[in-house]
Amino acid sequence: MKLLNVVAPAYFLCISLVTFVLQIFVFIPSMFRDPSTTPLLSPALLHGALFLFLSANALGNYVLVIQSSPEDLGKDLNLGEGAEVADWLDGNRSPGSALPSTHFCRLCARVTQRHDHHCFFTGNCIGSRNMRNFIMFCLYTSLACLDSLVAGMAYISATLSMSFADPLAFLTLLPHSISQFFSGALLSSEMFVILMLYLWLGIGLACAGFCCHQMLLILRGQTRYQVRKGMVVRARPWRDNLQEVFGKKWLLGLLIPVQNAEGSYRRQKEK
């Protein structure tokens, strides 16, 4: 599991780098070849600006998820290494029951407040401090994959002179391309782009589904860990649950990567 903490971030960064190279050096230059568009309002410039905006938000929130790690409550409670750790392994016990909804993560080796899950793609736990950045990361990653999927389909359509008007064209594209590749009728670069199309589709759908699932849990005032353990949470208005995660300046977090507000534990501590 600790090895997955290294492999998953490396996989995400490699996919991001490949996507950036294909967009900047392959897809966007091919859009400039359309003579019917004006230079200032060309699809290439508009698409390039949109892709850079989505990529900056996805990578920016990815970094903030790692930087805004959930606090180790064990240090605040003066728990030594290995001391009373067994009391935290069930995920909902704390010394004197003073801190509910706490969980000890074996991979991070720390006790966190409002633990949701451990994300291997960031190698970090997701909790109250970085939940908003994690949701924004999933949202913009899915949008960036959708943008790359559309641009890649346009490139393949122009390069191979094929149409995606038929919904079955995309489903039959991969097996047909594999047969053409092994027969020598398809270049390796074109085959690579086709494989990336299906990879972008898979990652985009997974991130979009994960983002919708997390939003549903937030509206209910729950975390994935609480649902998995069958914990009962106190009913609250959904607006309060949203504000606790996204804060009052939620619109700013939708447009640019900004650090999330600190968790409820610190706010209670300062009070």
Side-chain angles (χ1 to χ4, degrees):
M1 299 295 284
K2 292 185 178 180
L3 179 61
L4 190 58
N5 260 351
V6 179
V7 175
Y11 169 78
F12 170 76
L13 294 176
C14 287
I15 294 297
S16 301
L17 179 61
V18 170
T19 302
F20 183 82
V21 171
L22 287 176
Q23 286 272 16
I24 300 300
F25 297 102
V26 179
F27 298 159
I28 295 179
S30 66
M31 297 178 185
F32 277 109
R33 300 170 187 170
D34 188 1
S36 62
T37 59
T38 58
L40 293 179
L41 297 177
S42 64
L45 291 179
L46 297 177
H47 173 77
L50 176 62
F51 173 72
L52 291 178
F53 171 76
L54 298 176
S55 300
N57 274 277
L59 294 177
N61 283 286
Y62 178 83
V63 173
L64 289 177
V65 168
I66 300 175
Q67 289 183 347
S68 305
S69 301
E71 294 176 286
D72 187 356
L73 303 185
K75 295 180 180 180
D76 295 330
L77 295 173
N78 295 322
L79 292 179
E81 294 186 3
E84 302 184 40
V85 169
D87 294 335
W88 300 82
L89 294 182
D90 62 353
N92 59 357
R93 281 191 286 177
S94 59
S97 299
L99 295 174
S101 302
T102 52
H103 172 69
F104 175 78
C105 179
R106 294 179 175 87
L107 297 174
C108 295
R110 60 188 172 196
V111 182
T112 58
Q113 176 78 355
R114 288 204 50 90
H115 174 86
D116 188 85
H117 69 283
H118 182 89
C119 177
F120 289 100
F121 284 97
T122 60
N124 200 8
C125 278
I126 307 301
S128 58
R129 293 188 64 191
N130 55 7
M131 174 58 73
R132 182 180 69 180
N133 295 124
F134 177 75
I135 293 177
M136 290 296 101
F137 160 68
C138 291
L139 174 63
Y140 279 105
T141 299
S142 63
L143 293 178
C145 288
L146 176 61
D147 177 82
S148 300
L149 176 63
V150 173
M153 292 176 62
Y155 173 79
I156 290 297
S157 178
T159 303
L160 302 182
S161 300
M162 62 178 300
S163 174
F164 289 97
D166 185 4
L168 296 178
F170 187 80
L171 298 178
T172 59
L173 175 62
L174 182 60
H176 183 65
S177 300
I178 292 177
S179 62
Q180 283 190 326
F181 175 73
F182 284 106
S183 64
L186 192 66
L187 298 177
S188 58
S189 59
E190 297 170 345
M191 186 65 203
F192 180 74
V193 172
I194 293 174
L195 292 176
M196 289 299 299
L197 294 181
Y198 289 91
L199 186 60
W200 287 324
L201 177 63
I203 296 176
L205 291 178
C207 289
F210 207 103
C211 181
C212 293
H213 178 64
Q214 289 294 141
M215 286 299 301
L216 180 61
L217 292 178
I218 290 174
L219 291 174
R220 295 175 177 176
Q222 295 176 307
T223 63
R224 288 183 61 194
Y225 181 78
Q226 290 173 337
V227 173
R228 190 169 67 250
K229 292 296 182 179
M231 299 179 184
V232 179
V233 297
R234 180 171 58 90
R236 297 174 54 190
W238 61 269
R239 290 185 179 86
D240 295 341
N241 295 328
L242 283 178
Q243 184 172 335
E244 183 180 8
V245 174
F246 291 93
K248 296 181 179 180
K249 300 179 180 180
W250 58 271
L251 183 59
L252 182 63
L254 289 178
L255 300 177
I256 58 175
V258 291
Q259 192 169 11
N260 195 5
E262 296 183 353
S264 59
Y265 166 72
R266 171 166 288 189
R267 292 196 297 267
Q268 293 174 1
K269 183 179 176 182
E270 291 176 349
K271 291 180 180 180

